Structure formats: C-alpha cells, structure tokens
Amino acid sequence: MDRLSGKVALITGAGSGIGRESAVLFAAEGARVVCVDLNEHTALETADLVISAGGEAIAVTADVSSDRDSHRMVDAATEAFGGLHVMFNNAGIMHSDDGDSQSTSEAIWDLTMNINAKGVFLGCKYGIPAILESGGGSIINTASFVARLGAATPQVAYTASKGAVLALTRELAVVHARQGIRVNALCPGPLRTELLMNLLDTDEKRRRRLVHVPMGRFGLAEEMAKAALFLASEDASYVTGTEFLVDGGIASAYVTAE
Ligand code: NAD
C-alpha cells in the first residue's frame, strides 16, 4: 500500500522510539522522509534504515527548541524534496528530576517546556507555510495520555507541556481547517521505549504502572507509528483537532481487571 505516495514527511525525534518507527513506516507507504533529531548519529541511523529498505530519506541534526534549527529543518525538507505535506512534531523529553511542584526546579520546567511545548510551536510556525505552499497536508503533534489524567507519581513539567500541546493543536486545527491542513494530537499511553523504560528502571516500578493499563502491557512504538500513519494519510481526511488516544484503555479505566 502507498498511503503516503508523493508526500514529504518531516519527523522530529526520528532517532528513536516512535519517531524511528514512523520514519520507516511512512517511507514504506511511499513518503520521502526527513529524519530530524538532536542526536546526529541516531538521525543518520534512521535515514540509513529507510534507505536500506528502498526508501528515500535525509537526516537533519536539529534542536526543536531552537527557532533557528526549526526553520533550518523545514528548509532542508523543501530543498531536498521540493515541498512538505506531513509534519510529525514528535520529539520530547521526560526528565528524571521532574516531580511535583515542590521538587521540580525552574531549570527542569524550562527545559521540558522548551522542547515539548515550544518545540511543537516552532515546528508548526515553520512547517505550516511550507505545507500551505505544497497544497495542504497533515500535522501530528505528540502529546500524551498524561495530559488527560492526573497521576499520584507526578511529572508536573512534562504533564503541563503535553497539556500545552493539546491546546495548541486544537487551536491550530480550527485556524487552518479551511486551508487544507489538518492538525491532530497523538496521545500515546505508556510505551516500551527508552524514554519510559529509563524512568521505570525496576520490575516493581513497571509492574505498578501496568496495574493501571486495562490491556496489561506497555504499548509499542510501532503501534504509535500506525496511528500516526492514519492521521498523516487521507484515511483521516475528516479528522482534525482530535486528541487521538492510543493507550491500551488507560484513559477509560477506573479499576482494571486482574
Ligand atoms: P524516545 O526517547 O525513544 O525518542 C525521543 C527522541 O527525541 C530521541 O531520539 C531524542 O534524541 C529526540 N529529542 C530529544 N530532545 C530533542 C530536541 N530538543 N530536538 C530534537 N530531538 C530531540 O521517546 P519516545 O517514547 O519515542 O517519545 C516520542 C514522543 O512520545 C515524545 O514526545 C514523548 O513525550 C511521547 N510519549 C512517550 C510515551 C512513552 O511512554 N514512551 C508516552 C506518551 C508520550
């Protein structure tokens, strides 16, 4: 199937997890992919994965929290592939020093907001004109189920940053709805990726998190990539402004079965 045939897709955080799986899947569906990551080595690795599977990709090293870098990554996409149709603002961090309002430092708050919230804003700021010039497209912003639910093990900066992503997504969806740009948020549940596994670094911590997931397992980056592909493609032609939960049921659970 070629659900993204003829499309150019820029993916941030493409060096790992959801971003890497999405780069590979989007390319398999016909997209030319711009793999953006802060980590030069992993961005190149992802681009190589795409190319060795027969796809087209370039790697761009960029910090999404930098205005200059965000502008540069979009320019790199249009220069390499002549346009931009899909912008997947997916890069994000979850800092181990992010806690409750007393324990979280201003520095951790600022760092988290800069990457997770401002990074998405900058991606949209520079991505939208390029998408408009290319005749329209789809923006997917990675939020999280935590933007919808409070947790007794808090990460206030992370949670607030993802709440900002939902609000920004909603507003941009409304602003650009008649210009052929759909804007949606992807809200993953807890995943078996480096980001969360580094934090839940013991079996006991993982078990305690899984108690809340009706499906009783962590999600996979591939499962998020499939959801992102749906939002990126024409299959989602009437879908905009949504908070697309892909979370094993966690946001619907009050008490889970044994
Ligand atoms: P990951 O850590 O595997 O990948 C994140 C990638 O983003 C890394 O390659 C990292 O180098 C890159 N990155 C970090 N800061 C960057 C910056 N300033 N500029 C450019 N790239 C940067 O994580 P993942 O699980 O694939 O997470 C992807 C997104 O999904 C994040 O926004 C995360 O908050 C969100 N999310 C993850 C989970 C989970 O359980 N893993 C749950 C909900 C939401």
Side-chain angles (χ1 to χ4, degrees):
M1 286 220 289
D2 274 339
R3 283 192 277 176
L4 295 180
S5 181
K7 306 292 183 195
V8 178
L10 187 157
I11 302 173
T12 69
S16 175
I18 299 172
R20 174 167 285 179
E21 293 298 333
S22 300
V24 170
L25 182 62
F26 286 17
E29 292 284 344
R32 287 169 291 167
V33 184
V34 181
C35 307
V36 176
D37 207 283
L38 188 59
N39 184 323
E40 181 182 8
H41 176 68
T42 58
L44 276 167
E45 262 181 9
T46 300
D48 283 347
L49 274 175
V50 169
I51 291 163
S52 55
E56 278 188 73
I58 58 165
V60 178
T61 311
D63 177 351
V64 296
S65 68
S66 149
D67 184 280
R68 205 168 55 100
D69 281 13
S70 294
H71 200 166
R72 189 170 49 78
M73 71 189 184
V74 171
D75 281 351
T78 55
E79 276 160 28
F81 296 132
L84 182 66
H85 309 94
V86 176
M87 180 88 193
F88 189 7
N89 293 305
N90 166 72
I93 60 158
M94 182 189 275
H95 204 285
S96 53
D97 292 339
D98 188 1
D100 63 22
S101 64
Q102 307 309 293
S103 62
T104 303
S105 68
E106 185 183 6
I108 294 299
W109 175 272
D110 287 345
L111 177 71
T112 305
M113 292 301 279
N114 279 341
I115 296 171
N116 293 8
K118 189 172 84 172
V120 173
F121 157 67
L122 290 172
C124 293
K125 183 180 179 68
Y126 294 111
I128 286 171
I131 294 175
L132 281 174
E133 231 169 81
S134 308
S138 169
I139 297 176
I140 304 137
N141 299 325
T142 304
S144 169
F145 73 101
V146 301
R148 297 276 305 268
L149 304 165
T153 41
Q155 295 166 297
V156 289
Y158 184 80
T159 300
S161 73
K162 296 302 188 180
V165 171
L166 293 188
L168 175 68
T169 300
R170 216 177 285 130
E171 191 133 298
L172 292 179
V174 175
V175 169
H176 297 289
R178 296 188 185 200
Q179 296 177 309
I181 302 184
R182 297 180 294 101
V183 190
N184 290 290
L186 176 67
C187 295
L191 305 183
R192 185 170 285 288
T193 67
E194 264 182 53
L195 182 124
L196 188 63
M197 292 307 112
N198 286 343
L199 203 77
L200 305 180
D201 54 3
T202 64
D203 282 349
E204 176 56 16
K205 284 187 194 168
R206 291 177 191 185
R207 194 195 58 76
R208 280 180 52 198
R209 182 61 60 95
L210 284 178
V211 164
H212 304 285
V213 183
M215 285 192 179
R217 66 171 177 87
F218 291 107
L220 302 174
E222 300 94 283
E223 292 172 309
M224 302 306 119
K226 286 178 188 165
L229 171 64
F230 167 69
L231 293 173
S233 76
E234 280 302 300
D235 289 349
S237 54
Y238 199 52
V239 181
T240 198
T242 55
E243 299 169 4
F244 191 18
L245 281 157
V246 187
D247 69 348
I250 193 169
S252 297
Y254 175 46
V255 177
T256 55
E258 288 300 308

